[in-house]
Amino acid sequence: MITLSYALLGLLARQPLSGYDLAQYMKKRVAPMWSALPSQIYPELARLEKQGMVTYRVVEQQDHRPDKKVYEITETGREALRRWVIEPTPVAAVRDEFVLKAYSLWLAEPEQAIPHFREQERLHRQQQAQHEETLERLQREWRTALEQKDSPLFGSSLALHYGIAYERSYADWCQWAINELERHRSTPEEES
Amino acid sequence: MITLSYALLGLLARQPLSGYDLAQYMKKRVAPMWSALPSQIYPELARLEKQGMVTYRVVEQQDHRPDKKVYEITETGREALRRWVIEPTPVAAVRDEFVLKAYSLWLAEPEQAIPHFREQERLHRQQQAQHEETLERLQREWRTALEQKDSPLFGSSLALHYGIAYERSYADWCQWAINELERHRSTPEEES
DNA sequence: CATGACATGTAAGATGTTACATGATTGT
DNA sequence: ACAATCATGTAACATCTTACATGTCATG
């Protein structure tokens, strides 16, 4: 079982969903932890079904919209997920192309890099704001559930807090880098 | 050209290195940005050589140690690296198995998860301390070079600052989560 | 009249990991 | 005696991305 399987089971443990729904969730809600495209999700769901981790029923739609398969987690799937959750995990390897570019930035003109840092900062602040909004909505609507460790919302809260911290720290780094780059740019002028 | 190529070129732009050296660097210094194993690095170096991005000369060793190929970046390689550095970059997708487990933590007993959070916190604080040490060493030994935007050490500084912020934010999240988990554990007792 | 939402997939290719192979020297 | 360091790779496998295929309805 690959990690993606557990991402899917983690969503299905909360509610039944179609492959299409799962793909949407992977883009939005699960984005701070894992990501996958539909072309990987559909075959993986078929594999989970063969292994007895999920079942599905075909739901016919109105308005000539295509039929959909709504997947549900089985007790076997729930057990596998429970076991995986409490297994030890190796520290995640970071793979960030933008930071890697920063490492070789000394080869280029700072002026050309500054707009890219501004854009990254903007996008990460935007993502941070979105997570904060989601968290606040959960807190307003489900105050009591968030206090129960056995509520799915407790898991959502943990993940959202991670996402918020990650995005803020990333955006702050961009801001700091822009400052450094601009400081360097103005330094030669101080010679006069 | 895959991202790994630029990671390798980014190291070779600073000094000539063997494949073995590069593999060591990828494990330590480049870890906060990218990672790769020797089995991927060696074939990739061969491809870079075919493309004229790097050259190598065989260096015979003493003490019956195996010969090594010391790679050097070419002007072509340096130009490719320079162009890549100032290209726009899509926001990096996060893929963190531990955070994904947190999302489904409501299915398990918090007591079983707490030690894993403690271990992750320990490892991330350790990594943070190591980056801080490296940065301080650079600052002590190369104070003037760090102020020059065209010095490799400027790139190192950017990357190290990122790594430090990332590790601290991760460790802080673990600490916060442990607190939450312990609070939940003690809550039932407050009923009396 | 084109794009996007809905809905499910397949096929080919790129990228990354795990396991294996060799062989001397130095440290525990 | 056993593992680690130095040094370079190959082969097989697992995973992920990109491109393609199908068809209707609503929106701009």
PDB file of all heavy atoms in Angstrom, chain A residues 98 105 110-111 113-122 125 170-186, chain B residues 154 158:
ATOM      1  N   PHE A  98      12.101  25.935  -5.649  1.00  0.00           N
ATOM      2  CA  PHE A  98      12.332  27.367  -5.482  1.00  0.00           C
ATOM      3  C   PHE A  98      13.487  27.634  -4.508  1.00  0.00           C
ATOM      4  O   PHE A  98      14.337  28.505  -4.763  1.00  0.00           O
ATOM      5  CB  PHE A  98      11.053  28.073  -5.017  1.00  0.00           C
ATOM      6  CG  PHE A  98      11.167  29.559  -4.997  1.00  0.00           C
ATOM      7  CD1 PHE A  98      11.235  30.275  -6.188  1.00  0.00           C
ATOM      8  CD2 PHE A  98      11.219  30.253  -3.797  1.00  0.00           C
ATOM      9  CE1 PHE A  98      11.353  31.661  -6.179  1.00  0.00           C
ATOM     10  CE2 PHE A  98      11.333  31.632  -3.779  1.00  0.00           C
ATOM     11  CZ  PHE A  98      11.405  32.337  -4.971  1.00  0.00           C
ATOM     12  N   LEU A 105      21.410  31.456  -6.502  1.00  0.00           N
ATOM     13  CA  LEU A 105      20.981  32.799  -6.883  1.00  0.00           C
ATOM     14  C   LEU A 105      22.149  33.757  -7.076  1.00  0.00           C
ATOM     15  O   LEU A 105      22.038  34.754  -7.807  1.00  0.00           O
ATOM     16  CB  LEU A 105      20.037  33.352  -5.806  1.00  0.00           C
ATOM     17  CG  LEU A 105      19.139  34.512  -6.223  1.00  0.00           C
ATOM     18  CD1 LEU A 105      18.296  34.126  -7.419  1.00  0.00           C
ATOM     19  CD2 LEU A 105      18.243  34.900  -5.059  1.00  0.00           C
ATOM     20  N   PRO A 110      20.148  40.005  -8.785  1.00  0.00           N
ATOM     21  CA  PRO A 110      19.086  40.032  -7.768  1.00  0.00           C
ATOM     22  C   PRO A 110      17.804  40.672  -8.296  1.00  0.00           C
ATOM     23  O   PRO A 110      16.702  40.225  -7.969  1.00  0.00           O
ATOM     24  CB  PRO A 110      19.683  40.890  -6.652  1.00  0.00           C
ATOM     25  CG  PRO A 110      21.147  40.833  -6.847  1.00  0.00           C
ATOM     26  CD  PRO A 110      21.388  40.623  -8.303  1.00  0.00           C
ATOM     27  N   GLU A 111      17.946  41.687  -9.141  1.00  0.00           N
ATOM     28  CA  GLU A 111      16.760  42.382  -9.676  1.00  0.00           C
ATOM     29  C   GLU A 111      15.808  41.409 -10.362  1.00  0.00           C
ATOM     30  O   GLU A 111      14.593  41.582 -10.318  1.00  0.00           O
ATOM     31  CB  GLU A 111      17.180  43.460 -10.698  1.00  0.00           C
ATOM     32  CG  GLU A 111      17.697  44.731 -10.057  1.00  0.00           C
ATOM     33  CD  GLU A 111      19.113  44.566  -9.527  1.00  0.00           C
ATOM     34  OE1 GLU A 111      19.797  43.609  -9.972  1.00  0.00           O
ATOM     35  OE2 GLU A 111      19.542  45.354  -8.675  1.00  0.00           O
ATOM     36  N   ALA A 113      15.423  38.278  -9.639  1.00  0.00           N
ATOM     37  CA  ALA A 113      14.876  37.287  -8.718  1.00  0.00           C
ATOM     38  C   ALA A 113      13.776  37.866  -7.836  1.00  0.00           C
ATOM     39  O   ALA A 113      12.830  37.163  -7.461  1.00  0.00           O
ATOM     40  CB  ALA A 113      15.993  36.716  -7.850  1.00  0.00           C
ATOM     41  N   ILE A 114      13.874  39.147  -7.525  1.00  0.00           N
ATOM     42  CA  ILE A 114      12.936  39.768  -6.584  1.00  0.00           C
ATOM     43  C   ILE A 114      11.465  39.547  -6.960  1.00  0.00           C
ATOM     44  O   ILE A 114      10.674  39.143  -6.100  1.00  0.00           O
ATOM     45  CB  ILE A 114      13.270  41.269  -6.397  1.00  0.00           C
ATOM     46  CG1 ILE A 114      14.573  41.414  -5.602  1.00  0.00           C
ATOM     47  CG2 ILE A 114      12.139  42.001  -5.682  1.00  0.00           C
ATOM     48  CD1 ILE A 114      15.087  42.841  -5.483  1.00  0.00           C
ATOM     49  N   PRO A 115      11.064  39.747  -8.210  1.00  0.00           N
ATOM     50  CA  PRO A 115       9.653  39.509  -8.548  1.00  0.00           C
ATOM     51  C   PRO A 115       9.193  38.082  -8.261  1.00  0.00           C
ATOM     52  O   PRO A 115       8.055  37.862  -7.851  1.00  0.00           O
ATOM     53  CB  PRO A 115       9.589  39.787 -10.056  1.00  0.00           C
ATOM     54  CG  PRO A 115      10.809  40.535 -10.386  1.00  0.00           C
ATOM     55  CD  PRO A 115      11.838  40.269  -9.359  1.00  0.00           C
ATOM     56  N   HIS A 116      10.088  37.106  -8.455  1.00  0.00           N
ATOM     57  CA  HIS A 116       9.726  35.717  -8.191  1.00  0.00           C
ATOM     58  C   HIS A 116       9.502  35.485  -6.699  1.00  0.00           C
ATOM     59  O   HIS A 116       8.595  34.750  -6.306  1.00  0.00           O
ATOM     60  CB  HIS A 116      10.812  34.778  -8.717  1.00  0.00           C
ATOM     61  CG  HIS A 116      10.997  34.854 -10.194  1.00  0.00           C
ATOM     62  ND1 HIS A 116       9.945  34.872 -11.083  1.00  0.00           N
ATOM     63  CD2 HIS A 116      12.114  34.926 -10.960  1.00  0.00           C
ATOM     64  CE1 HIS A 116      10.406  34.947 -12.327  1.00  0.00           C
ATOM     65  NE2 HIS A 116      11.722  34.989 -12.266  1.00  0.00           N
ATOM     66  N   PHE A 117      10.339  36.118  -5.884  1.00  0.00           N
ATOM     67  CA  PHE A 117      10.148  36.003  -4.433  1.00  0.00           C
ATOM     68  C   PHE A 117       8.833  36.656  -4.017  1.00  0.00           C
ATOM     69  O   PHE A 117       8.098  36.126  -3.183  1.00  0.00           O
ATOM     70  CB  PHE A 117      11.322  36.649  -3.687  1.00  0.00           C
ATOM     71  CG  PHE A 117      12.481  35.719  -3.496  1.00  0.00           C
ATOM     72  CD1 PHE A 117      13.521  35.680  -4.420  1.00  0.00           C
ATOM     73  CD2 PHE A 117      12.531  34.870  -2.400  1.00  0.00           C
ATOM     74  CE1 PHE A 117      14.590  34.810  -4.247  1.00  0.00           C
ATOM     75  CE2 PHE A 117      13.597  34.000  -2.207  1.00  0.00           C
ATOM     76  CZ  PHE A 117      14.628  33.970  -3.150  1.00  0.00           C
ATOM     77  N   ARG A 118       8.542  37.808  -4.626  1.00  0.00           N
ATOM     78  CA  ARG A 118       7.272  38.477  -4.321  1.00  0.00           C
ATOM     79  C   ARG A 118       6.086  37.583  -4.671  1.00  0.00           C
ATOM     80  O   ARG A 118       5.124  37.484  -3.901  1.00  0.00           O
ATOM     81  CB  ARG A 118       7.160  39.776  -5.130  1.00  0.00           C
ATOM     82  CG  ARG A 118       7.989  40.891  -4.600  1.00  0.00           C
ATOM     83  CD  ARG A 118       7.457  42.238  -5.106  1.00  0.00           C
ATOM     84  NE  ARG A 118       8.506  43.237  -5.209  1.00  0.00           N
ATOM     85  CZ  ARG A 118       9.063  43.835  -4.153  1.00  0.00           C
ATOM     86  NH1 ARG A 118       8.671  43.530  -2.929  1.00  0.00           N
ATOM     87  NH2 ARG A 118      10.026  44.731  -4.330  1.00  0.00           N
ATOM     88  N   GLU A 119       6.163  36.919  -5.824  1.00  0.00           N
ATOM     89  CA  GLU A 119       5.066  36.058  -6.270  1.00  0.00           C
ATOM     90  C   GLU A 119       4.904  34.854  -5.334  1.00  0.00           C
ATOM     91  O   GLU A 119       3.783  34.507  -4.956  1.00  0.00           O
ATOM     92  CB  GLU A 119       5.322  35.603  -7.714  1.00  0.00           C
ATOM     93  CG  GLU A 119       4.306  34.646  -8.291  1.00  0.00           C
ATOM     94  CD  GLU A 119       2.902  35.229  -8.429  1.00  0.00           C
ATOM     95  OE1 GLU A 119       2.716  36.415  -8.100  1.00  0.00           O
ATOM     96  OE2 GLU A 119       2.001  34.478  -8.843  1.00  0.00           O
ATOM     97  N   GLN A 120       6.030  34.233  -4.967  1.00  0.00           N
ATOM     98  CA  GLN A 120       5.948  33.103  -4.041  1.00  0.00           C
ATOM     99  C   GLN A 120       5.362  33.557  -2.710  1.00  0.00           C
ATOM    100  O   GLN A 120       4.509  32.879  -2.138  1.00  0.00           O
ATOM    101  CB  GLN A 120       7.344  32.498  -3.812  1.00  0.00           C
ATOM    102  CG  GLN A 120       7.919  31.757  -5.011  1.00  0.00           C
ATOM    103  CD  GLN A 120       7.414  30.336  -5.163  1.00  0.00           C
ATOM    104  OE1 GLN A 120       7.177  29.642  -4.173  1.00  0.00           O
ATOM    105  NE2 GLN A 120       7.252  29.882  -6.393  1.00  0.00           N
ATOM    106  N   GLU A 121       5.794  34.708  -2.240  1.00  0.00           N
ATOM    107  CA  GLU A 121       5.266  35.199  -0.963  1.00  0.00           C
ATOM    108  C   GLU A 121       3.757  35.388  -1.051  1.00  0.00           C
ATOM    109  O   GLU A 121       3.015  34.953  -0.171  1.00  0.00           O
ATOM    110  CB  GLU A 121       5.927  36.532  -0.572  1.00  0.00           C
ATOM    111  CG  GLU A 121       5.461  36.986   0.800  1.00  0.00           C
ATOM    112  CD  GLU A 121       5.905  38.394   1.178  1.00  0.00           C
ATOM    113  OE1 GLU A 121       6.623  39.035   0.392  1.00  0.00           O
ATOM    114  OE2 GLU A 121       5.512  38.839   2.269  1.00  0.00           O
ATOM    115  N   ARG A 122       3.304  35.987  -2.131  1.00  0.00           N
ATOM    116  CA  ARG A 122       1.878  36.234  -2.331  1.00  0.00           C
ATOM    117  C   ARG A 122       1.090  34.918  -2.285  1.00  0.00           C
ATOM    118  O   ARG A 122       0.083  34.796  -1.595  1.00  0.00           O
ATOM    119  CB  ARG A 122       1.663  36.931  -3.684  1.00  0.00           C
ATOM    120  CG  ARG A 122       0.270  37.491  -3.914  1.00  0.00           C
ATOM    121  CD  ARG A 122       0.143  38.118  -5.293  1.00  0.00           C
ATOM    122  NE  ARG A 122       0.187  37.153  -6.366  1.00  0.00           N
ATOM    123  CZ  ARG A 122      -0.836  36.376  -6.741  1.00  0.00           C
ATOM    124  NH1 ARG A 122      -1.992  36.463  -6.115  1.00  0.00           N
ATOM    125  NH2 ARG A 122      -0.712  35.517  -7.729  1.00  0.00           N
ATOM    126  N   ARG A 125       1.068  33.364   1.245  1.00  0.00           N
ATOM    127  CA  ARG A 125       0.192  34.109   2.170  1.00  0.00           C
ATOM    128  C   ARG A 125      -1.274  33.808   1.856  1.00  0.00           C
ATOM    129  O   ARG A 125      -2.115  33.701   2.746  1.00  0.00           O
ATOM    130  CB  ARG A 125       0.435  35.606   2.046  1.00  0.00           C
ATOM    131  CG  ARG A 125       1.800  36.044   2.482  1.00  0.00           C
ATOM    132  CD  ARG A 125       1.773  37.094   3.590  1.00  0.00           C
ATOM    133  NE  ARG A 125       3.133  37.551   3.893  1.00  0.00           N
ATOM    134  CZ  ARG A 125       3.888  37.018   4.853  1.00  0.00           C
ATOM    135  NH1 ARG A 125       3.426  36.060   5.635  1.00  0.00           N
ATOM    136  NH2 ARG A 125       5.116  37.468   5.051  1.00  0.00           N
ATOM    137  N   TYR A 170       7.106  30.007   5.304  1.00  0.00           N
ATOM    138  CA  TYR A 170       7.606  30.130   3.932  1.00  0.00           C
ATOM    139  C   TYR A 170       7.512  31.582   3.457  1.00  0.00           C
ATOM    140  O   TYR A 170       8.470  32.152   2.909  1.00  0.00           O
ATOM    141  CB  TYR A 170       6.803  29.224   2.989  1.00  0.00           C
ATOM    142  CG  TYR A 170       7.540  28.832   1.722  1.00  0.00           C
ATOM    143  CD1 TYR A 170       7.886  27.506   1.478  1.00  0.00           C
ATOM    144  CD2 TYR A 170       7.889  29.776   0.767  1.00  0.00           C
ATOM    145  CE1 TYR A 170       8.555  27.136   0.322  1.00  0.00           C
ATOM    146  CE2 TYR A 170       8.557  29.417  -0.396  1.00  0.00           C
ATOM    147  CZ  TYR A 170       8.895  28.090  -0.604  1.00  0.00           C
ATOM    148  OH  TYR A 170       9.560  27.727  -1.746  1.00  0.00           O
ATOM    149  N   ALA A 171       6.342  32.188   3.693  1.00  0.00           N
ATOM    150  CA  ALA A 171       6.123  33.563   3.241  1.00  0.00           C
ATOM    151  C   ALA A 171       7.068  34.522   3.968  1.00  0.00           C
ATOM    152  O   ALA A 171       7.616  35.453   3.357  1.00  0.00           O
ATOM    153  CB  ALA A 171       4.664  33.957   3.463  1.00  0.00           C
ATOM    154  N   ASP A 172       7.283  34.284   5.257  1.00  0.00           N
ATOM    155  CA  ASP A 172       8.189  35.143   6.029  1.00  0.00           C
ATOM    156  C   ASP A 172       9.604  35.060   5.474  1.00  0.00           C
ATOM    157  O   ASP A 172      10.318  36.060   5.401  1.00  0.00           O
ATOM    158  CB  ASP A 172       8.187  34.734   7.509  1.00  0.00           C
ATOM    159  CG  ASP A 172       6.921  35.176   8.224  1.00  0.00           C
ATOM    160  OD1 ASP A 172       6.127  35.914   7.608  1.00  0.00           O
ATOM    161  OD2 ASP A 172       6.717  34.780   9.386  1.00  0.00           O
ATOM    162  N   TRP A 173       9.993  33.837   5.094  1.00  0.00           N
ATOM    163  CA  TRP A 173      11.333  33.669   4.516  1.00  0.00           C
ATOM    164  C   TRP A 173      11.455  34.464   3.217  1.00  0.00           C
ATOM    165  O   TRP A 173      12.475  35.127   2.989  1.00  0.00           O
ATOM    166  CB  TRP A 173      11.617  32.184   4.282  1.00  0.00           C
ATOM    167  CG  TRP A 173      12.885  31.920   3.539  1.00  0.00           C
ATOM    168  CD1 TRP A 173      14.161  32.059   4.001  1.00  0.00           C
ATOM    169  CD2 TRP A 173      12.990  31.481   2.178  1.00  0.00           C
ATOM    170  NE1 TRP A 173      15.063  31.727   3.018  1.00  0.00           N
ATOM    171  CE2 TRP A 173      14.379  31.369   1.891  1.00  0.00           C
ATOM    172  CE3 TRP A 173      12.060  31.160   1.179  1.00  0.00           C
ATOM    173  CZ2 TRP A 173      14.843  30.956   0.634  1.00  0.00           C
ATOM    174  CZ3 TRP A 173      12.526  30.739  -0.046  1.00  0.00           C
ATOM    175  CH2 TRP A 173      13.898  30.653  -0.311  1.00  0.00           C
ATOM    176  N   CYS A 174      10.436  34.409   2.378  1.00  0.00           N
ATOM    177  CA  CYS A 174      10.439  35.185   1.128  1.00  0.00           C
ATOM    178  C   CYS A 174      10.608  36.672   1.429  1.00  0.00           C
ATOM    179  O   CYS A 174      11.414  37.364   0.793  1.00  0.00           O
ATOM    180  CB  CYS A 174       9.131  34.973   0.355  1.00  0.00           C
ATOM    181  SG  CYS A 174       8.958  33.341  -0.387  1.00  0.00           S
ATOM    182  N   GLN A 175       9.863  37.144   2.399  1.00  0.00           N
ATOM    183  CA  GLN A 175       9.901  38.549   2.776  1.00  0.00           C
ATOM    184  C   GLN A 175      11.317  38.948   3.227  1.00  0.00           C
ATOM    185  O   GLN A 175      11.849  39.973   2.810  1.00  0.00           O
ATOM    186  CB  GLN A 175       8.920  38.773   3.920  1.00  0.00           C
ATOM    187  CG  GLN A 175       8.489  40.209   4.100  1.00  0.00           C
ATOM    188  CD  GLN A 175       7.453  40.335   5.207  1.00  0.00           C
ATOM    189  OE1 GLN A 175       7.349  39.463   6.078  1.00  0.00           O
ATOM    190  NE2 GLN A 175       6.693  41.421   5.170  1.00  0.00           N
ATOM    191  N   TRP A 176      11.899  38.098   4.041  1.00  0.00           N
ATOM    192  CA  TRP A 176      13.246  38.351   4.532  1.00  0.00           C
ATOM    193  C   TRP A 176      14.239  38.375   3.365  1.00  0.00           C
ATOM    194  O   TRP A 176      15.114  39.249   3.293  1.00  0.00           O
ATOM    195  CB  TRP A 176      13.624  37.271   5.563  1.00  0.00           C
ATOM    196  CG  TRP A 176      15.058  37.308   5.966  1.00  0.00           C
ATOM    197  CD1 TRP A 176      15.634  38.093   6.923  1.00  0.00           C
ATOM    198  CD2 TRP A 176      16.116  36.520   5.404  1.00  0.00           C
ATOM    199  NE1 TRP A 176      16.973  37.849   6.994  1.00  0.00           N
ATOM    200  CE2 TRP A 176      17.303  36.888   6.078  1.00  0.00           C
ATOM    201  CE3 TRP A 176      16.179  35.542   4.405  1.00  0.00           C
ATOM    202  CZ2 TRP A 176      18.539  36.300   5.770  1.00  0.00           C
ATOM    203  CZ3 TRP A 176      17.404  34.972   4.107  1.00  0.00           C
ATOM    204  CH2 TRP A 176      18.557  35.350   4.780  1.00  0.00           C
ATOM    205  N   ALA A 177      14.071  37.429   2.428  1.00  0.00           N
ATOM    206  CA  ALA A 177      14.981  37.343   1.279  1.00  0.00           C
ATOM    207  C   ALA A 177      14.872  38.594   0.410  1.00  0.00           C
ATOM    208  O   ALA A 177      15.892  39.127  -0.058  1.00  0.00           O
ATOM    209  CB  ALA A 177      14.664  36.095   0.454  1.00  0.00           C
ATOM    210  N   ILE A 178      13.658  39.073   0.200  1.00  0.00           N
ATOM    211  CA  ILE A 178      13.451  40.292  -0.596  1.00  0.00           C
ATOM    212  C   ILE A 178      14.208  41.452   0.040  1.00  0.00           C
ATOM    213  O   ILE A 178      14.890  42.223  -0.633  1.00  0.00           O
ATOM    214  CB  ILE A 178      11.942  40.610  -0.710  1.00  0.00           C
ATOM    215  CG1 ILE A 178      11.244  39.559  -1.578  1.00  0.00           C
ATOM    216  CG2 ILE A 178      11.721  42.001  -1.286  1.00  0.00           C
ATOM    217  CD1 ILE A 178       9.731  39.553  -1.458  1.00  0.00           C
ATOM    218  N   ASN A 179      14.089  41.527   1.358  1.00  0.00           N
ATOM    219  CA  ASN A 179      14.810  42.558   2.102  1.00  0.00           C
ATOM    220  C   ASN A 179      16.309  42.483   1.873  1.00  0.00           C
ATOM    221  O   ASN A 179      16.955  43.496   1.606  1.00  0.00           O
ATOM    222  CB  ASN A 179      14.525  42.364   3.589  1.00  0.00           C
ATOM    223  CG  ASN A 179      13.886  43.591   4.178  1.00  0.00           C
ATOM    224  OD1 ASN A 179      14.534  44.633   4.240  1.00  0.00           O
ATOM    225  ND2 ASN A 179      12.632  43.488   4.546  1.00  0.00           N
ATOM    226  N   GLU A 180      16.845  41.276   1.966  1.00  0.00           N
ATOM    227  CA  GLU A 180      18.279  41.078   1.749  1.00  0.00           C
ATOM    228  C   GLU A 180      18.670  41.512   0.342  1.00  0.00           C
ATOM    229  O   GLU A 180      19.671  42.202   0.144  1.00  0.00           O
ATOM    230  CB  GLU A 180      18.635  39.596   1.920  1.00  0.00           C
ATOM    231  CG  GLU A 180      18.624  39.103   3.339  1.00  0.00           C
ATOM    232  CD  GLU A 180      19.764  39.699   4.158  1.00  0.00           C
ATOM    233  OE1 GLU A 180      20.942  39.512   3.786  1.00  0.00           O
ATOM    234  OE2 GLU A 180      19.464  40.365   5.165  1.00  0.00           O
ATOM    235  N   LEU A 181      17.861  41.089  -0.622  1.00  0.00           N
ATOM    236  CA  LEU A 181      18.169  41.391  -2.024  1.00  0.00           C
ATOM    237  C   LEU A 181      18.128  42.895  -2.279  1.00  0.00           C
ATOM    238  O   LEU A 181      18.933  43.424  -3.036  1.00  0.00           O
ATOM    239  CB  LEU A 181      17.185  40.655  -2.945  1.00  0.00           C
ATOM    240  CG  LEU A 181      17.367  39.142  -3.019  1.00  0.00           C
ATOM    241  CD1 LEU A 181      16.156  38.473  -3.663  1.00  0.00           C
ATOM    242  CD2 LEU A 181      18.630  38.779  -3.794  1.00  0.00           C
ATOM    243  N   GLU A 182      17.182  43.568  -1.652  1.00  0.00           N
ATOM    244  CA  GLU A 182      17.066  45.016  -1.863  1.00  0.00           C
ATOM    245  C   GLU A 182      18.178  45.765  -1.139  1.00  0.00           C
ATOM    246  O   GLU A 182      18.672  46.781  -1.622  1.00  0.00           O
ATOM    247  CB  GLU A 182      15.693  45.504  -1.400  1.00  0.00           C
ATOM    248  CG  GLU A 182      14.607  45.089  -2.384  1.00  0.00           C
ATOM    249  CD  GLU A 182      13.233  45.575  -1.990  1.00  0.00           C
ATOM    250  OE1 GLU A 182      13.023  45.856  -0.794  1.00  0.00           O
ATOM    251  OE2 GLU A 182      12.375  45.657  -2.887  1.00  0.00           O
ATOM    252  N   ARG A 183      18.562  45.243   0.008  1.00  0.00           N
ATOM    253  CA  ARG A 183      19.672  45.828   0.758  1.00  0.00           C
ATOM    254  C   ARG A 183      20.954  45.757  -0.066  1.00  0.00           C
ATOM    255  O   ARG A 183      21.706  46.723  -0.153  1.00  0.00           O
ATOM    256  CB  ARG A 183      19.859  45.064   2.067  1.00  0.00           C
ATOM    257  CG  ARG A 183      20.489  45.861   3.180  1.00  0.00           C
ATOM    258  CD  ARG A 183      20.144  45.224   4.528  1.00  0.00           C
ATOM    259  NE  ARG A 183      20.618  43.855   4.636  1.00  0.00           N
ATOM    260  CZ  ARG A 183      21.913  43.532   4.829  1.00  0.00           C
ATOM    261  NH1 ARG A 183      22.825  44.462   4.912  1.00  0.00           N
ATOM    262  NH2 ARG A 183      22.268  42.262   4.937  1.00  0.00           N
ATOM    263  N   HIS A 184      21.156  44.592  -0.705  1.00  0.00           N
ATOM    264  CA  HIS A 184      22.347  44.426  -1.539  1.00  0.00           C
ATOM    265  C   HIS A 184      22.327  45.386  -2.710  1.00  0.00           C
ATOM    266  O   HIS A 184      23.344  45.922  -3.103  1.00  0.00           O
ATOM    267  CB  HIS A 184      22.426  42.990  -2.067  1.00  0.00           C
ATOM    268  CG  HIS A 184      22.913  42.058  -1.027  1.00  0.00           C
ATOM    269  ND1 HIS A 184      24.141  42.193  -0.451  1.00  0.00           N
ATOM    270  CD2 HIS A 184      22.335  40.993  -0.443  1.00  0.00           C
ATOM    271  CE1 HIS A 184      24.305  41.224   0.437  1.00  0.00           C
ATOM    272  NE2 HIS A 184      23.227  40.491   0.471  1.00  0.00           N
ATOM    273  N   ARG A 185      21.136  45.591  -3.256  1.00  0.00           N
ATOM    274  CA  ARG A 185      21.014  46.443  -4.423  1.00  0.00           C
ATOM    275  C   ARG A 185      21.404  47.881  -4.091  1.00  0.00           C
ATOM    276  O   ARG A 185      22.029  48.566  -4.884  1.00  0.00           O
ATOM    277  CB  ARG A 185      19.570  46.415  -4.924  1.00  0.00           C
ATOM    278  CG  ARG A 185      19.412  47.071  -6.277  1.00  0.00           C
ATOM    279  CD  ARG A 185      18.053  46.789  -6.852  1.00  0.00           C
ATOM    280  NE  ARG A 185      16.996  47.193  -5.941  1.00  0.00           N
ATOM    281  CZ  ARG A 185      15.697  47.047  -6.195  1.00  0.00           C
ATOM    282  NH1 ARG A 185      15.306  46.462  -7.302  1.00  0.00           N
ATOM    283  NH2 ARG A 185      14.784  47.437  -5.341  1.00  0.00           N
ATOM    284  N   SER A 186      21.031  48.334  -2.872  1.00  0.00           N
ATOM    285  CA  SER A 186      21.272  49.733  -2.519  1.00  0.00           C
ATOM    286  C   SER A 186      22.655  49.956  -1.931  1.00  0.00           C
ATOM    287  O   SER A 186      23.121  51.081  -1.848  1.00  0.00           O
ATOM    288  CB  SER A 186      20.206  50.206  -1.529  1.00  0.00           C
ATOM    289  OG  SER A 186      20.289  49.432  -0.347  1.00  0.00           O
TER     290      SER A 186
ATOM    291  N   PHE B 154      26.291  33.665  -0.313  1.00  0.00           N
ATOM    292  CA  PHE B 154      24.993  34.329  -0.242  1.00  0.00           C
ATOM    293  C   PHE B 154      23.871  33.323  -0.509  1.00  0.00           C
ATOM    294  O   PHE B 154      22.858  33.293   0.211  1.00  0.00           O
ATOM    295  CB  PHE B 154      24.939  35.482  -1.254  1.00  0.00           C
ATOM    296  CG  PHE B 154      23.618  36.166  -1.313  1.00  0.00           C
ATOM    297  CD1 PHE B 154      23.156  36.909  -0.233  1.00  0.00           C
ATOM    298  CD2 PHE B 154      22.821  36.064  -2.441  1.00  0.00           C
ATOM    299  CE1 PHE B 154      21.916  37.537  -0.277  1.00  0.00           C
ATOM    300  CE2 PHE B 154      21.572  36.691  -2.486  1.00  0.00           C
ATOM    301  CZ  PHE B 154      21.130  37.429  -1.408  1.00  0.00           C
ATOM    302  N   LEU B 158      20.852  32.016   2.129  1.00  0.00           N
ATOM    303  CA  LEU B 158      19.422  31.967   1.808  1.00  0.00           C
ATOM    304  C   LEU B 158      18.845  30.586   2.131  1.00  0.00           C
ATOM    305  O   LEU B 158      17.812  30.461   2.795  1.00  0.00           O
ATOM    306  CB  LEU B 158      19.198  32.278   0.324  1.00  0.00           C
ATOM    307  CG  LEU B 158      19.286  33.722  -0.142  1.00  0.00           C
ATOM    308  CD1 LEU B 158      19.205  33.799  -1.666  1.00  0.00           C
ATOM    309  CD2 LEU B 158      18.180  34.571   0.476  1.00  0.00           C
TER     310      LEU B 158
END
